[in-house]
């Protein structure tokens, strides 16, 4: 049986021979999709749960940083390659010095020694130098596990290291074919973890769960059962694998098959190959079959129309009229303001307004909660804890907006395609929105404020400044009674006034810090809403452009096919008898070739998908 690439190449030859550059371009895109398959699997979870160690164990190489005092802050993409190599991908800063968004960034790939990769992707080392921001790290390894286009992506932890890093992970979820949600066996799923799991299930079609560190947690079996119970209550049907990445790494180092079996990594790896990679291959093969079938039908239509006209010259006028009516309907479908166009335009406009409202509504709720917390206590001493809470609260709210906007965009796309079919259009190919595969640009960090700490020397100076007037005034009054200016009474009054001055200064400084904290929170929320709103609107515009191009190209191809069929039928009436006989023989041969080609395409559709 011919491979998909062989069939696509043969179809391109047929399209080129027929002068159909539009079909040739469509097949070229299909060939690129088949030739360079990519099945992306994200490894996500909270910090310090063993994500990086799990990735290292699956690929059998220490390519992700693992230590108690380091954290993953940028995605690391591991894919198959001929030899081990690594590269850092930076985004050059804009002219104003700010970090650009992924849509407008100019990416620069810098090869680095693979041994130094882990030291270059941790916090601090990942900060951009020369105005560049580190976007991701890329690794290629000659591993059979990664064959067929499988890509593992080690992501930054969700929660605990800032809003920006959490949202980078969420931004990548729609681009993934599958997600591995990692949690260690020290405790059952927490509330924030379950919230993220619900978001991941909403954004990604395939979710797998891994419970790590079973080698150091004696009660891991009980934790696994509790986790399964949480998933069942949420009606999430997905496999859960208890694993020990540390044992897996040791098994690779010592080439110990028994230790590898004890680690539990084999069932997880088999599931990724069987359920994720093969399923993605089946979807890719279905899209290829759709393209090949559509091209074959369009090439056949013109030839059959010409053959019918050649075989029955008397009925040629009726055939031309029928084809011309079909072409007119397609032209009207393309020219007129169809309902699918109105639905797309109105839906995009409404969704953009809803995105703005949703983000600002969520930010107003966070601002109210933050200001209540600031008014209740002095923000200076607790600013670190407060900013951590603000990051977590903001990440949760914005992630909910991502999920909501993504679901609305997908629903809008489905409605538009269905409306196009009802308007008289042919069946469109499977919609591939093609979400951005780059992480979200860096967000502005929460600003700092004075912690309110005063050395003893400064406290004494504030008290002395306040007590000076009291001691002097009271001393002058008591001097009339023959007492010294500095006496026990004037000192007592000075102490009271000095204490009051210190308390007043302390209250004023606290009020200043509270006002400053509120301004910082509002400014930070406004910046985050601005950047996230831009990201969501960019994604919505991508949906709009993809739908518009998909439907327009489909209509253009059908219009060109019908126009060619009409032209062929008209030419056949002017041909002489000898020319007609020769042309009939040639057309029948081309139709037989297309029929055999269609049979091979049907055989490909029934065959299991190949992984590579």
């Amino acid at each position: 049986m011919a491979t998909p690439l062989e069939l696509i190449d043969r179809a391109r030859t047929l399209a080129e021979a027929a002068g159909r550059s539009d079909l040739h371009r469509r097949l070229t895109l299909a060939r690129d999709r088949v030739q360079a398959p990519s099945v992306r699997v994200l490894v996500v979870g909270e910090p310090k749960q063993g994500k990086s160690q799990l990735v290292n164990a699956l690929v059998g190489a220490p390519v992700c940083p693992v230590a108690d005092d380091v954290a993953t802050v940028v995605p690391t993409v591991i894919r198959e390659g001929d030899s081990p190599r690594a590269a850092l991908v930076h985004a050059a800063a804009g002219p104003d010095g700010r970090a650009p968004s992924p849509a407008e960034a100019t990416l620069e790939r810098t090869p680095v020694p693979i041994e130094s990769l882990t030291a270059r992707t941790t916090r601090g080392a990942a900060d951009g130098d020369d105005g560049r921001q580190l976007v991701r790290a890329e690794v290629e390894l000659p591993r059979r596990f990664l064959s067929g286009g499988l890509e593992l992506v080690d992501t930054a932890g969700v929660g605990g290291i800032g809003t920006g890093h959490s949202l980078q992970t969420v931004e990548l979820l729609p681009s993934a074919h599958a997600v591995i949600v990692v949690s260690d066996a020290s405790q059952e799923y927490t509330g924030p973890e379950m919230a993220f799991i619900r978001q991941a299930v909403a954004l990604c079609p395939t979710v797998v769960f891994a419970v790590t560190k079973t080698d150091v947690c004696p009660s891991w079996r009980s934790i696994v059962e509790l986790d399964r119970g949480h998933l069942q209550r949420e009606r999430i049907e997905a496999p859960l694998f208890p694993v020990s990445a540390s044992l897996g790494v040791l098994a690779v180092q010592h080439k110990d098959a028994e230790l590898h079996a004890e680690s539990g990594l084999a069932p997880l790896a088999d599931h990724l190959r069987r359920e994720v990679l093969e399923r993605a291959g089946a979807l890719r093969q279905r899209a290829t079959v759709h393209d090949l079938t559509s091209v074959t039908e369009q090439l056949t239509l013109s030839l059959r129309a010409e053959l019918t006209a050649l075989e029955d010259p008397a009925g040629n006028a009726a055939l031309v009229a029928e084809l011309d009516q079909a072409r007119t309907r397609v032209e009207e479908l393309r020219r007129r303001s169809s309902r699918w166009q109105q639905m797309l335009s109105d839906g995009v406009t409404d969704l953009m307004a809803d995105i703005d409202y949703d983000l600002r509504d969520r930010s107003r709720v966070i601002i109210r909660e933050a200001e209540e917390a600031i008014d209740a206590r002095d923000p200076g001493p607790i600013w670190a804890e407060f900013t951590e809470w603000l990051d977590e609260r903001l990440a949760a709210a914005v992630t909910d907006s991502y999920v909501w906007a993504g679901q609305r965009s997908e629903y809008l796309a489905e409605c538009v395609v269905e409306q196009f079919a009802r308007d008289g259009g042919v069946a469109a190919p499977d919609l591939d929105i093609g979400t951005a595969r780059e992480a979200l640009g860096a967000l502005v960090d929460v600003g700092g404020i004075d912690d309110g700490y005063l050395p003893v020397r400064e406290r004494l100076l504030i008290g002395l400044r306040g007590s000076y007037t009291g001691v002097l005034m009271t001393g002058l009054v008591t001097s009339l009674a023959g007492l010294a200016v500095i006496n026990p009474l004037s000192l007592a009054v000075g102490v009271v006034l000095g204490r009051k001055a210190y308390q007043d200064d302390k209250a004023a400084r606290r009020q200043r810090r509270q006002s400053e904290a509120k301004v910082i929170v509002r400014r930070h929320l406004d910046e985050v809403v601005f950047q996230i709103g831009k990201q969501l609107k960019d994604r919505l515009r991508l949906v709009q452009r993809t739908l518009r191009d998909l439907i327009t190209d489909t209509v253009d191809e059908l219009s060109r096919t019908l126009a060619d069929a009409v032209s062929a039928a008209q030419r056949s009436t002017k041909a002489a008898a000898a020319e007609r006989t020769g042309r009939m023989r040639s057309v029948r041969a081309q139709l037989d070739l297309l029929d055999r080609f269609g049979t091979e395409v049907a055989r490909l559709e029934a065959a299991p998908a190949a992984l590579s």
Side-chain angles (χ1 to χ4, degrees):
M1 187 179 64
T3 65
L5 280 176
E6 292 173 347
L7 291 176
I8 291 175
D9 288 338
R10 288 166 57 185
R12 291 172 68 197
T13 302
L14 293 173
E16 186 176 3
R20 295 298 302 271
S21 58
D22 53 342
L23 299 180
H24 188 277
R25 182 174 59 253
R26 176 176 176 179
L27 291 168
T28 300
L29 295 176
R31 191 182 196 281
D32 294 340
R33 184 176 61 242
V34 172
Q35 195 173 23
S38 175
V39 180
R40 171 167 286 193
V41 178
L42 299 186
V43 182
V44 302
E46 293 188 344
K48 316 314 294 181
Q49 299 295 305
K51 300 186 302 298
S52 299
Q53 184 79 317
L54 177 61
V55 173
N56 291 343
L58 286 172
V59 301
V63 293
C64 300
V66 177
D68 293 336
D69 57 344
V70 300
T72 302
V73 293
V74 294
T76 301
V77 182
I78 303 100
R79 61 175 66 96
E80 185 187 22
D82 297 333
S83 60
R85 62 171 63 94
L88 298 178
V89 180
H90 291 88
D96 55 356
R98 68 177 179 85
S101 66
E104 59 188 12
T106 301
L107 299 181
E108 302 172 354
R109 184 172 283 97
T110 306
V112 297
I114 196 169
E115 299 82 9
S116 65
L117 182 68
T118 57
R120 295 170 179 258
T121 56
T122 56
R123 193 194 306 233
D127 295 336
D129 53 350
D130 300 330
R132 298 190 305 169
Q133 174 202 349
L134 182 60
V135 176
R136 68 177 182 272
E138 295 181 348
V139 180
E140 294 184 5
L141 294 172
R143 295 291 186 272
R144 188 166 148 269
F145 171 69
L146 299 173
S147 62
L150 184 64
E151 288 184 359
L152 285 183
V153 184
D154 181 28
T155 62
V158 179
I161 57 174
T163 307
H165 298 299
S166 297
L167 295 182
Q168 284 178 0
T169 300
V170 175
E171 173 74 6
L172 291 172
L173 284 176
S175 71
H177 294 82
V179 172
I180 303 177
V181 180
V182 178
S183 179
D184 63 32
S186 62
Q187 63 177 359
E188 59 187 294
Y189 287 140
T190 62
E193 282 181 312
M194 289 305 303
F196 176 75
I197 287 172
R198 288 190 290 268
Q199 294 162 348
V201 170
L203 289 174
C204 188
T206 304
V207 179
V208 180
F209 298 92
V211 177
T212 59
K213 304 181 182 180
T214 57
D215 56 314
V216 295
C217 299
S219 59
W220 64 267
R221 293 178 179 82
S222 300
I223 298 299
V224 168
E225 292 304 316
L226 290 172
D227 289 344
R228 287 199 173 103
H230 288 303
L231 297 178
Q232 290 175 357
R233 282 189 289 275
E234 293 291 336
R235 297 182 180 179
I236 299 175
E237 297 182 0
L240 188 151
F241 298 94
V243 297
S244 170
S246 300
L247 292 182
V249 171
L250 289 175
V252 171
Q253 293 174 350
H254 298 285
K255 298 181 180 180
D256 190 330
E258 184 177 351
L259 195 61
H260 188 268
E262 187 179 350
S263 70
L265 291 173
L268 174 59
D270 291 342
H271 180 84
L272 293 178
R273 299 284 303 177
R274 184 180 64 254
E275 297 296 332
V276 177
L277 197 59
E278 290 184 3
R279 182 178 300 178
L283 293 175
R284 186 168 57 249
Q285 182 166 299
R286 187 175 69 180
T288 302
V289 168
H290 182 281
D291 289 334
L292 291 172
T293 302
S294 176
V295 168
T296 304
E297 290 175 350
Q298 294 190 59
L299 293 175
T300 302
L301 177 61
S302 177
L303 293 172
R304 289 199 183 281
E306 184 178 0
L307 181 61
T308 302
L310 290 169
E311 292 177 339
D312 184 15
N316 188 40
L319 174 63
V320 171
E322 181 181 352
L323 290 172
D324 200 47
Q325 290 177 359
R327 185 181 64 173
T328 301
R329 288 195 300 270
V330 173
E331 290 295 329
E332 290 177 354
L333 179 64
R334 179 172 58 180
R335 286 196 302 265
R336 73 174 185 258
S337 180
S338 305
R339 284 188 292 180
W340 72 264
Q341 293 173 315
Q342 297 175 2
M343 178 181 291
L344 178 59
S345 177
D346 294 343
V348 169
T349 302
D350 293 342
L351 188 50
M352 282 190 175
D354 290 343
I355 286 173
D356 273 335
Y357 175 81
D358 181 71
L359 283 173
R360 296 201 174 277
D361 181 63
R362 294 179 190 273
S363 68
R364 290 175 64 184
V365 172
I366 297 176
I367 287 175
R368 285 197 296 268
E369 295 176 355
E371 289 184 346
E372 290 175 0
I374 290 171
D375 289 334
R377 295 184 61 182
D378 184 359
I382 62 168
W383 189 245
E385 293 82 359
F386 176 81
T387 54
E388 182 179 350
W389 169 85
L390 182 63
D391 276 340
E392 294 176 356
R393 184 71 179 84
L394 185 57
V398 175
T399 302
D400 288 338
S401 288
Y402 264 92
V403 175
W404 173 82
Q407 292 174 334
R408 285 280 302 272
S409 299
E410 292 177 1
Y411 177 73
L412 174 62
E414 293 173 359
C415 290
V416 170
V417 172
E418 291 176 1
Q419 187 62 54
F420 168 71
R422 288 195 296 268
D423 282 346
V426 297
D430 291 340
L431 181 64
D432 182 10
I433 299 301
T435 51
R437 297 170 70 85
E438 305 297 342
L440 180 72
L443 296 176
V444 175
D445 293 330
V446 183
I449 63 172
D450 179 22
D451 60 5
Y453 173 76
L454 284 179
V456 176
R457 178 174 56 83
E458 293 192 17
R459 298 181 190 179
L460 289 176
L461 289 176
I462 293 172
L464 288 175
R465 282 197 299 268
S467 64
Y468 173 76
T469 303
V471 171
L472 182 60
M473 296 288 294
T474 305
L476 291 176
V477 172
T478 55
S479 65
L480 299 177
L483 299 176
V485 174
I486 299 178
N487 57 71
L489 182 59
S490 63
L491 290 176
V493 172
V495 169
V496 172
L497 293 180
R499 179 181 179 83
K500 183 178 184 306
Y502 174 76
Q503 294 295 336
D504 291 344
D505 181 78
K506 181 179 179 181
R509 285 187 287 107
R510 172 176 175 172
Q511 188 174 4
R512 253 192 330 269
R513 284 192 296 271
Q514 289 174 331
S515 300
E516 182 183 357
K518 292 178 181 179
V519 171
I520 290 175
V521 168
R522 287 182 175 273
R523 186 185 301 131
H524 180 69
L525 265 292
D526 184 69
E527 180 69 21
V528 170
V529 167
F530 172 76
Q531 294 194 39
I532 300 302
K534 176 70 165 55
Q535 292 289 328
L536 292 178
K537 290 177 182 178
D538 285 346
R539 178 176 296 175
L540 183 57
R541 292 189 186 95
L542 179 62
V543 173
Q544 183 182 20
R545 287 193 297 268
T546 303
L547 277 171
R548 181 197 61 206
D549 296 343
L550 173 70
I551 296 177
T552 302
D553 290 346
T554 302
V555 173
D556 288 344
E557 289 175 3
L558 183 58
S559 177
R560 172 75 182 276
T561 299
L562 290 171
D564 289 350
V566 171
S567 298
Q570 291 174 340
R571 285 196 308 269
S572 65
T573 61
K574 302 176 183 178
E579 295 177 356
R580 184 179 295 115
T581 302
R583 182 59 184 166
M584 287 171 60
R585 189 180 301 111
S586 174
V587 170
R588 287 196 183 101
Q590 294 181 54
L591 285 174
D592 289 341
L593 180 63
L594 286 172
D595 287 341
R596 290 195 300 271
F597 182 78
T599 301
E600 292 191 64
V601 172
R603 193 179 298 124
L604 174 65
E605 183 178 13
L611 294 182
S612 59

